Amino acid sequence: MRNLMLTWQFWAILSACFAALTAIFAKIGVSGIGSDFATFIRTIVILLALAAILSATGGWESLSSLSARSFLFLILSGLATGASWICYFRALKLGHASQVAPIDKMSVVLVAIFGALFLGEQLSLGSWLGVGFIAIGASLVALF
């Protein structure tokens, strides 16, 4: 079990499980309140949870240890995350979780494309086929 916890696959599967719970909990939680306020509450919870984890593990680091480039891209990542969450909660407010989540997961397709274009990552033909199936599957789930 310890070796399994050191693999990216283990953490990716946990991420998928928590993302699924996020959709269900958020859909229930957003009823009766504004989607932006719901996103704000979620963000506070995440900040408190991460502060507790950093404190418990001694993971706090000095901001001066970050390069300007890392700091800039972490800021951009945070802004993109915030925009994603705002859009996600608005979509959940208006639609079914079972339709919103698959479209949200089209990010997998976009990451593959952006990774190839901007990071020089190379996917095999089989991987591109899988990316295509994700796009088709997400579209089918959302539309039917």
Side-chain angles (χ1 to χ4, degrees), residues 19-106:
L21 290 173
T22 296
I24 302 305
F25 295 158
K27 179 63 181 176
I28 296 167
V30 78
S31 64
I33 64 170
S35 60
D36 291 342
F37 187 67
T39 303
F40 177 72
I41 297 298
R42 175 186 179 184
T43 303
I44 290 171
V45 171
I46 291 168
L47 285 172
L48 293 174
L50 281 173
I53 290 168
L54 287 170
S55 295
T57 62
W60 288 102
E61 296 182 31
S62 168
L63 288 178
S64 63
S65 69
L66 289 174
S67 69
R69 182 176 192 266
S70 289
F71 195 65
L72 170 65
F73 279 95
L74 288 173
I75 288 171
L76 291 173
S77 176
L79 291 171
T81 297
S84 173
W85 289 357
I86 288 168
C87 295
Y88 185 73
F89 269 65
R90 285 191 184 170
L92 280 177
K93 183 83 173 169
L94 299 169
H96 296 289
S98 60
Q99 293 175 309
V100 171
I103 295 299
D104 177 64
K105 297 310 173 211
M106 289 289 278

Side-chain angles (χ1 to χ4, degrees), residues 112 122-134:
Q122 297 181 350
L123 277 72
S124 67
L125 179 60
S127 293
W128 281 117
L129 188 60
V131 168
F133 284 141
I134 291 170

